Amino acid sequence: MIQPARTRQLELLSPARDVEIGIEAVNHGADAVYIGGPGFGARASAGNPIEDIERLVAHAHRFGSKIFVTLNTILRDDELEPARRMAWQVHEAGVDALIIQDMGLLELDLPPIQLHASTQCDIRTPEKAAFLANSGFSQIVLARELTLPQIQAVAQALPADTVVEFFVHGALCVAYSGQCYVSHAQTGRSANRGDCSQACRLPWTVTDDQGRIVAHEKHVLSMKDNNQSANLAALVDAGVRSFKIEGRYKNMGYVKNITAHYRQLLDEVLEGRPGLSRASSGRTTFLFTPDPDRNFNRGSTDYFLQGRQQDIGAFDTPKHAGLPLGHVARVGVDHLEVELDEGVGPLNNGDAITWFDLQQELRGVPVNTAEPLDATGRRFRVVPKDPLSELKDLRRGTVLMRNRDMAWDRLLRKKSSDRRVAVDLHLEETREGFALSVTDEDGHHARVELAHAHEAAQQPERAEAALREGLAKLGTTIFAAREITLAQRQPWFLPAGALNALRRDAIAALEAEREVCRERLPRRAPVEPPVPYPEDTLSYLANVYNQNARDFYARHGVKIIEAAYESHEALGDASLMITKHCVRFSLSLCPKQAKGVTGVQGTVRAEPLTIQNGDEVLTLRFDCKPCEMHVVGRMKKNVLNQARAAEKQAAREGVPIQFYKTRPAPHPAR
C-alpha cells in the first residue's frame, strides 16, 4: 500500500515548444509546464530566451501552475559553467524546477531550485529511484516501460514527499531513455545531447542468421504512440502523482487538445477521490470536445503498463494515417468523387487525405478543393493538389483516411478554453462608505474600502441586483464569482463607476496576496554522508561525459567509471540501443511464444537477427532473462574523424572542447 503521507496532489504536466504554447497549456488546465531554456535541453531546436521564460512563469503562477525548465543533456566539462549560469538565470526568472540528466550539475554551485530527474536518467528500479531521491531529487520520472506493479514498487521505495512522474501520452522512444546511441554512432548526432536522427523510424529489412528475409522494409523499431487514458486511476493507485504529456516539438493544437483531454480525465479521477486534489487553482471549461485521435499519432498503445503486448509497433508506417473518412466512389480526369462514411464531418479545402497502396505503403495528398455533390453532404467532388496520375493506387473503392482536418485546425486556432479561479465576494457598508472582501478557492483573502456617501436607493430591488451584477463582472480577470453576499442596513445606491473601481481594487489586492503567499518549491538536501550508488561499476551506458559527473559517482562509491559513448572510447561492437521491445516477439518468433505448441516447441531459438537500411547494418541480440533486446553496431569512422576535426578547430580558436576520458586520445596517423 502507498505510504499515507505521500503527496495528495495530482499534477498534469504539459509540454511547450515556446512561450505561447506554454501559456495555452496553462489555459487548458496544465498544473505544470516543462519547456526548454536558452540551451542544454534534450530537444535541440526547442530553446527559449530568458525573457520568454519569465513571461510564461508570470502567467502560470497566477493560477498556481509551475514551470519546469529542461537542462537535461549530458554536458562536456567546458559546458558546465554556461549551464550553471543558465540555471541561475532561470531561477531568477521564477522557474520552479530544473529537469536534469547530468549528475555533474550536482557538483556545481546551483541556485536553491528544486531538481527533477529526467527520463534520460533511465529510472527502472526502486534502488536507482531511491538513490536519486537521496541525492537531492524531489521528482522522479520513471521509464515508460514499467508495469503497474513495478511502478508501485518504486513508489514504495521512495521518501513519501517524492513525486513519482510518469509519461501518459505521446511519442515513444523504442529504447530505454538515455540508452540509445544509434544516432551518434551513425551520424554524430547524440540523442543524449538533444539531437537524435530518429533511425528508429526508418524501414528495416530483417534477416535471420542464415540470411533469410524475415521482414522486408518494415519499421520494426517504430513504436505506436503512448496513450494511458484508460489507466489513470490505476496509475494513481500505484503511486503516480505527476502525469506527463510528451511533445516539446508539438504544435499549439496538439498541446491544447491533449492537455484538455487529460484535464477532463484527471478531474473525473479527482471527483471520486476526495482525499486528492489538483496541483493548481481554478477550473477549466473548453469550447471544443477534446479528441486525441485528431492529432498526429501512429496508433495508440499503453505499452508495457499491463505487461508485454503483441501489438505495440507501428511497423507499417511511422506517419499519421488519420481518421477513417470514406472511400473513392469514382475517379475522373482531374478529380475524385469521395463518399464519406456515416457520421464523418464534411471535407474542406486544405484537408489532407491518405490511403494505403497495394504494397501497404501510406500515401497522402492535400485537397485543393472539396465541393458537396448532393444534399446529404456525404458525396464530394475532390480536386487534389497533385495530378491523379502521380497518386499511386488511388482508384475506385480505395479506403480513405483524413490526417488533416482544416475545420478542426481552425477551431483550435481560436480561443478554445476558459480557466477561472472561484472567488467569493462580500460587500458591506462601513461608517465612511463600503468595503469589499474577496476570498478565493484556496483561502487567500483581500479587503479594500471605499469612502462614499450612503445614498438610499430609489428602487431597492433593482439597486441590490445592480450591486450583484456589478460585483460578478470578472470577465477580464482570472476569477469567477462563486458566491456574492451583501451586508447593509438597507439597499444603497452605489454608482457603477464606484462599484467597478472597488471591485478592481479588491481583485488586484487578491492577486497580490496570492503572489505574496506563493512559496517556491523547496530544494531537497542530499543525504549525508553520500549514499552508495546501487552498483560499483559503470559502463558507457551511465553517460558520464564530464569530470564532475565522474567525481559525483566516485563520491557515491563507484570504483570503475567508463566514459560516455560520446567520448568515443567504445569503438568496437557495442549495444547502441537497449529496449524492452522485442522484434522476435513482435514477429511471433519468440521461444516463449512457442512453448506448448506441438511441433514448434524447442525449434525456435532467440538467435540474433540482422536489420539493414541502405548501407546501415545492425545486429539484434536477445537477452531473454530480463526480456530485453540489444541493437548492436559500431561507430562510423567518419563520426570519429568529424569529432576529432571539431576538437582541433576549437583548440585553434582558443575554446577547447573538454570532456571526460579514461584513456589518452590516439596519436594521429603519420
Side-chain angles (χ1 to χ4, degrees):
M1 189 174 76
I2 300 302
Q3 303 171 52
R6 187 163 302 284
T7 175
R8 295 181 176 86
Q9 292 186 333
L10 301 187
E11 174 183 272
L12 176 58
L13 177 55
S14 293
R17 184 177 63 198
D18 56 43
V19 61
E20 302 304 334
I21 294 176
I23 286 172
E24 288 304 322
V26 172
N27 292 345
H28 286 71
D31 299 304
V33 172
Y34 65 105
I35 188 170
F40 309 116
R43 293 291 184 272
S45 58
N48 293 275
I50 292 295
E51 53 268 26
D52 280 2
I53 299 291
E54 196 167 21
R55 183 157 62 96
L56 176 58
V57 165
H59 181 74
H61 284 176
R62 297 180 75 195
F63 294 96
S65 293
K66 308 294 191 298
I67 300 299
F68 307 151
V69 162
T70 57
L71 204 169
N72 59 340
T73 58
I74 58 171
L75 303 165
R76 301 190 308 255
D77 290 85
D78 58 286
E79 294 171 327
L80 288 172
E81 177 55 23
R84 186 194 69 83
R85 290 198 299 268
M86 193 194 97
W88 277 96
Q89 287 177 323
V90 300
H91 171 68
E92 290 162 3
V95 165
D96 299 284
L98 288 176
I99 303 172
I100 70 172
Q101 172 189 10
D102 196 320
M103 297 300 123
L105 289 166
L106 274 66
E107 301 292 290
L108 300 176
D109 173 31
L110 291 179
I113 190 170
Q114 190 167 99
L115 301 181
H116 296 181
S118 169
T119 183
Q120 298 296 113
C121 292
D122 182 32
I123 305 164
R124 290 181 257 162
T125 66
E127 293 78 15
K128 186 168 187 180
F131 169 79
L132 291 170
N134 289 325
S135 299
F137 289 91
S138 300
Q139 190 151 318
I140 310 284
V141 59
L142 304 185
R144 296 167 173 92
E145 292 80 2
L146 298 190
T147 64
L148 283 167
Q150 289 171 327
I151 292 170
Q152 188 168 33
V154 171
Q156 290 174 336
L158 292 172
D161 60 347
T162 306
V163 175
V164 176
E165 180 183 317
F166 192 72
F167 277 97
V168 294
H169 201 92
L172 285 167
C173 292
V174 62
Y176 291 117
S177 293
Q179 305 290 279
C180 186
Y181 311 93
V182 175
S183 177
H184 189 78
Q186 294 181 347
T187 68
R189 295 166 53 186
S190 168
N192 276 310
R193 288 175 57 77
D195 195 20
C196 179
S197 63
Q198 294 197 319
C200 55
R201 301 299 183 187
L202 297 174
W204 298 88
T205 293
V206 184
T207 54
D208 65 13
D209 58 344
Q210 298 180 46
R212 295 172 298 193
I213 293 178
V214 177
H216 179 66
E217 292 192 353
K218 289 292 185 181
H219 303 267
V220 293
L221 299 179
S222 179
M223 298 292 94
K224 291 181 177 178
D225 285 0
N226 185 22
N227 187 330
Q228 302 293 344
S229 298
N231 297 318
L232 297 187
L235 287 167
V236 171
D237 291 339
V240 173
R241 292 296 179 265
S242 179
F243 300 82
K244 188 171 192 174
I245 298 168
E246 180 276 337
R248 282 201 298 120
Y249 276 159
K250 298 297 178 67
N251 62 23
M252 178 81 78
Y254 170 93
V255 173
K256 283 184 171 185
N257 184 33
I258 303 304
T259 301
H261 172 70
Y262 281 95
R263 179 72 274 154
Q264 289 183 336
L265 293 181
L266 281 177
D267 284 348
E268 289 177 10
V269 171
L270 288 169
E271 285 177 8
R273 310 287 182 102
L276 298 173
S277 63
R278 58 183 298 176
S280 62
S281 304
R283 299 287 296 184
T284 310
T285 55
F286 302 108
L287 310 180
F288 70 106
T289 302
D291 182 356
D293 290 337
R294 286 181 171 271
N295 287 114
F296 180 97
N297 68 85
R298 305 174 180 91
S300 63
T301 174
D302 64 2
Y303 214 28
F304 292 93
L305 197 75
Q306 307 287 355
R308 185 176 290 278
Q309 309 292 326
Q310 181 76 33
D311 189 23
I312 62 174
F315 289 0
D316 289 331
T317 179
K319 301 175 183 177
H320 176 41
L323 293 173
L325 178 68
H327 65 274
V328 177
R330 178 177 171 274
V331 179
V333 175
D334 62 350
H335 70 279
L336 304 169
E337 289 186 15
V338 174
E339 186 165 332
L340 304 185
D341 291 341
E342 190 73 41
V344 172
L347 271 165
N348 314 284
N349 298 345
D351 284 1
I353 58 174
T354 62
W355 67 98
F356 284 97
D357 66 20
L358 296 179
Q359 284 73 46
Q360 288 303 296
E361 287 291 325
L362 186 67
R363 305 285 175 174
V365 67
V367 172
N368 262 355
T369 61
E371 301 174 3
L373 291 175
D374 58 31
T376 68
R378 290 188 56 199
R379 198 173 180 100
F380 280 77
R381 184 182 190 274
V382 174
V383 178
K385 180 182 177 183
D386 299 330
L388 283 175
S389 59
E390 298 178 7
L391 304 179
K392 185 178 179 184
D393 295 335
L394 191 57
R395 59 188 70 186
R396 185 171 181 268
T398 299
V399 174
L400 300 174
M401 290 79 69
R402 173 167 51 189
N403 68 356
R404 184 174 68 221
D405 184 339
M406 292 303 296
W408 173 262
D409 290 351
R410 283 192 290 267
L411 179 65
L412 288 182
R413 289 193 197 112
K414 300 184 293 186
K415 177 180 173 63
S416 49
S417 70
D418 191 34
R419 182 170 181 175
R420 300 279 176 161
V421 177
V423 62
D424 298 329
L425 300 98
H426 178 72
L427 181 69
E428 60 183 305
E429 64 179 81
T430 64
R431 180 176 299 178
E432 291 78 20
F434 298 90
L436 178 60
S437 298
V438 287
T439 305
D440 68 24
E441 63 185 50
D442 302 311
H444 301 106
H445 178 79
R447 185 177 186 272
V448 296
E449 295 189 10
L450 172 70
H452 195 281
H454 295 138
E455 301 178 39
Q458 295 181 356
Q459 297 178 300
E461 291 184 5
R462 179 65 194 124
E464 182 171 322
L467 289 176
R468 293 182 181 277
E469 289 171 9
L471 292 173
K473 289 181 178 178
L474 300 173
T476 58
T477 74
I478 66 168
F479 301 102
R482 179 172 57 186
E483 184 178 0
I484 297 174
T485 55
L486 306 177
Q488 48 188 353
R489 289 171 297 153
Q490 68 179 73
W492 300 112
F493 169 73
L494 189 59
L499 182 62
N500 290 341
L502 186 63
R503 185 195 64 239
R504 284 195 299 267
D505 290 348
I507 291 301
L510 180 62
E511 283 229 52
E513 177 68 9
R514 286 173 62 85
E515 178 60 22
V516 166
C517 293
R518 184 181 58 82
E519 297 180 355
R520 296 197 78 147
L521 295 178
R523 169 79 173 274
R524 168 174 281 162
V527 172
E528 294 292 346
V531 296
Y533 189 74
E535 303 170 45
D536 63 4
T537 301
L538 293 177
S539 72
Y540 67 92
L541 299 171
N543 302 320
V544 177
Y545 199 37
N546 58 70
Q547 186 67 34
N548 275 24
R550 182 262 169 210
D551 293 346
F552 170 85
Y553 286 112
R555 280 199 306 110
H556 290 272
V558 182
K559 295 181 172 54
I560 299 174
I561 305 169
E562 290 187 6
Y565 191 75
E566 289 78 359
S567 296
H568 305 141
E569 294 186 353
L571 300 181
D573 282 346
S575 292
L576 300 182
M577 178 192 295
I578 304 175
T579 171
K580 195 70 176 174
H581 164 57
C582 176
V583 168
R584 296 194 72 97
F585 183 87
S586 294
L587 297 176
S588 299
L589 297 173
C590 171
K592 295 178 181 178
Q593 290 169 312
K595 285 184 178 179
V597 180
T598 304
V600 177
Q601 185 174 354
T603 65
V604 178
R605 297 180 176 83
E607 291 151 339
L609 298 173
T610 299
I611 58 173
Q612 182 168 0
N613 174 270
D615 295 332
E616 305 291 353
V617 180
L618 299 168
T619 300
L620 305 182
R621 300 189 185 277
F622 303 93
D623 188 351
C624 291
K625 187 173 181 180
C627 209
E628 294 174 344
M629 181 177 77
H630 291 239
V631 180
V632 178
R634 59 178 56 200
M635 195 175 300
K636 285 187 168 183
K637 290 183 179 179
N638 69 298
V639 171
L640 290 171
N641 293 337
Q642 289 169 6
R644 289 166 184 163
E647 288 182 56
K648 291 178 181 178
Q649 180 64 29
R652 285 194 294 269
E653 295 173 355
V655 284
I657 293 173
Q658 300 171 314
F659 52 88
Y660 175 61
K661 303 174 184 178
T662 62
R663 60 181 76 119
H667 293 291
R670 296 183 181 275

